[in-house]
Amino acid sequence: MQAIHTKYLGPTNYRGGRIKAIAEGGRSVTVPYDYSGTSEQCHFQAVKALCAKLDWHGTLQGGDLNAGGYVFVFVNEWERYEA
């Protein structure tokens, strides 16, 4: 199972805020922060950009990390269970 971690990168003197999506092995993509959406939507946009770059397809489930950022994983039907 592949996990994708996202984190917010604050603005600098040269760039606005952005979101970085990182997969195992250091593969990553950085996208501008879209202030018109929610934080979760912005993080998901970065994940979708990384998946497009790596040609990954599937159903994703994500959640907020208390330490900052989000984590998204691919969900396979056979791995699902109800708690």
Side-chain angles (χ1 to χ4, degrees):
M1 180 181 297
Q2 184 68 245
I4 301 170
H5 176 253
T6 62
K7 65 180 178 177
Y8 173 75
L9 303 173
T12 66
N13 290 336
Y14 303 100
R15 295 182 184 175
R18 20 203 220 290
I19 303 290
K20 185 171 189 172
I22 308 158
E24 188 170 334
R27 297 171 290 186
S28 67
V29 69
T30 304
V31 299
Y33 191 91
D34 181 3
Y35 291 96
S36 67
T38 66
S39 178
E40 187 172 353
Q41 289 169 333
C42 292
H43 285 261
F44 189 55
Q45 290 299 321
V47 169
K48 290 194 299 185
L50 179 61
C51 289
K53 176 182 175 181
L54 299 175
D55 196 29
W56 289 351
H57 305 278
T59 302
L60 289 164
Q61 180 67 45
D64 184 9
L65 295 173
N66 289 335
Y70 288 78
V71 67
F72 294 82
V73 295
F74 286 96
V75 178
N76 295 316
E77 196 62 38
W78 54 270
E79 293 176 323
R80 293 181 149 210
Y81 69 93
E82 296 295 324

